[in-house]
Amino acid sequence: MVHTNSTRSAVKVNWPEFINSSSPSSLKVEPESSVQYSSALVFTRVWEYDDVNNTADPQQTAQSSFYPPYELQNFLWSLNVSVNQTDVTVTLCGREKTESFVNGSLCLQFSAFESEGRDEVWPSLLHNANSSQLRVWLDDVTPRGNGSRFALEFQSVGEPGFEGRVDVHSSIDDEYTPSIFKVSQWVSSRVNSSGVVGYNQWKPVAYRKPRPVFEDATPCKHSQLVSLNHIPRSGLVQAYFTDHPHTHGLNISFGIAKDPVFYSDSKYITWTVLVGLGEPPADSFSALIIIIITVGLGTPLAIIIVGGVFVWIRKRMSHSSGYEPIN
């Protein structure tokens, strides 16, 4: 993601140097002085582990229970592009030359938008023209154990002068993502500033079917954000970020403790993240929630008002009849 302050900014690629990885600055945005903020979200690995204690928590799992990770740089990819009037979608599906991927695949679906809206498919994240969406799914991959669970490894690369953090916000409205009342946001801000310049936003939920219903949902959690002393082995990232970039890592894992359903039961898991510039989109209260709040607050108020009027009338009637109430 690159944010510039000029409508004339352009991407410049020195293709011979870029392809041969012979120059660390073969990819630029010019004029370079127009760049206000830039970052990259890199999906680096898929981790698989044998959840022998059924904790659904890689942090509490012995290192011996982890299988060798799937390195995305070793995958062979196929590409599909679709365009309509409101968005552009690119789908990459890849596989390793291993038995696990004989029939299975790992797919990454990127969507760019020109206006505000939502996906019809859960988690139905709110997007705008300054955001893109990444949907990740594992489909029919053969697990290496009956108790296998998976985790996704992400790394964020940015320029000096910015720092990242993960915020978790709560809501009372789950209209668009049933039973999910939180949203997680991995945000970037200038050092000594609280203003957000870029973000990765997701709901803490994954799904076990492409078109899920309520019972197909499973919780997901993120690890602590850690600082890394190297940038990912990505030609694109290494060609653009040349001035002492900062790298942080974070894992997303799926499942909940004591959940009897493992990956081998569904052979499918999908998770979605929104990547964008500026402040993350925020859900406003839906019409249904506003009505419920109005009725919930309005009914007691009406009872109080009616009760007060009734007491006033009784007092007026007692005074007009000459009746003196007993104190």
Side-chain angles (χ1 to χ4, degrees):
M1 298 187 297
V2 179
H3 179 207
T4 72
N5 61 4
S6 171
T7 58
R8 297 184 178 181
S9 299
V11 177
K12 300 291 185 180
V13 183
N14 184 322
W15 285 108
E17 292 185 356
F18 180 80
I19 293 173
N20 295 323
S21 301
S22 59
S23 173
S25 57
S26 56
L27 173 65
K28 297 180 180 180
V29 173
E30 295 181 342
E32 294 185 57
S33 60
S34 69
V35 176
Q36 304 297 295
Y37 167 75
S38 57
S39 70
L41 180 67
V42 186
F43 183 15
T44 49
R45 294 184 183 93
V46 176
W47 291 94
E48 181 182 356
Y49 65 98
D50 186 9
D51 192 10
V52 291
N53 296 320
N54 201 4
T55 62
D57 188 351
Q59 308 299 318
Q60 300 181 19
T61 302
Q63 188 173 355
S64 59
S65 294
F66 281 83
Y67 300 102
Y70 295 111
E71 302 280 354
L72 268 66
Q73 63 182 5
N74 297 331
F75 276 50
L76 300 176
W77 300 93
S78 61
L79 175 68
N80 180 59
V81 180
S82 64
V83 180
N84 60 36
Q85 293 181 347
T86 59
D87 59 71
V88 177
T89 299
V90 177
T91 304
L92 291 169
C93 287
R95 60 185 61 193
E96 263 197 342
K97 293 181 179 180
T98 61
E99 293 183 0
S100 296
F101 282 87
V102 171
N103 298 312
S105 60
L106 167 68
C107 293
L108 313 175
Q109 185 180 77
F110 303 88
S111 299
F113 314 100
E114 66 173 12
S115 60
E116 185 175 293
R118 295 181 187 274
D119 258 5
E120 294 181 1
V121 180
W122 292 341
S124 301
L125 297 176
L126 178 64
H127 60 249
N128 58 33
N130 286 329
S131 64
S132 300
Q133 181 175 275
L134 169 63
R135 187 186 301 275
V136 183
W137 65 86
L138 283 167
D139 184 15
D140 207 21
V141 175
T142 302
R144 288 172 280 189
N146 292 330
S148 284
R149 297 193 191 277
F150 288 90
L152 311 179
E153 179 185 288
F154 290 91
Q155 296 182 19
S156 177
V157 184
E159 297 174 331
F162 297 89
E163 56 187 2
R165 67 180 187 274
V166 178
D167 299 330
V168 178
H169 299 278
S170 299
S171 172
I172 64 171
D173 191 351
D174 70 337
E175 177 182 2
Y176 299 105
T177 315
S179 78
I180 305 300
F181 296 93
K182 292 183 178 181
V183 60
S184 300
Q185 297 177 164
W186 181 0
V187 299
S188 179
S189 302
R190 295 186 184 276
V191 175
N192 299 324
S193 172
S194 59
V196 175
V197 294
Y199 63 86
N200 308 301
Q201 182 191 71
W202 66 90
K203 296 286 184 73
V205 63
Y207 297 97
R208 296 186 175 112
K209 287 185 179 179
R211 290 281 177 177
V213 293
F214 184 78
E215 56 266 25
D216 298 322
T218 185
C220 70
K221 66 180 70 174
H222 64 268
S223 66
Q224 289 187 342
L225 193 63
V226 296
S227 178
L228 304 174
N229 57 11
H230 61 274
I231 64 175
R233 288 182 291 177
S234 161
L236 185 70
V237 172
Q238 293 177 354
Y240 182 81
F241 292 95
T242 60
D243 185 17
H244 302 93
H246 292 176
T247 306
H248 293 84
L250 178 147
N251 294 337
I252 302 291
S253 57
F254 308 117
I256 190 172
K258 307 304 179 184
D259 186 353
V261 181
F262 294 89
Y263 178 81
S264 58
D265 298 305
S266 64
K267 292 285 192 74
Y268 187 92
I269 193 77
T270 182
W271 175 80
T272 303
V273 60
L274 192 72
V275 181
L277 298 167
E279 292 284 345
D283 286 326
S284 57
F285 286 139
S286 65
L288 176 62
I289 294 297
I290 293 174
I291 292 172
I292 292 173
I293 293 175
T294 302
V295 172
L297 295 177
T299 301
L301 182 60
I303 292 174
I304 293 172
I305 293 174
V306 172
V309 171
F310 179 74
V311 170
W312 180 78
I313 292 174
R314 286 292 301 271
K315 286 185 177 181
R316 293 283 295 177
M317 292 177 63
S318 65
H319 286 306
S320 63
S321 62
Y323 171 74
E324 294 292 335
I326 299 175
N327 294 323

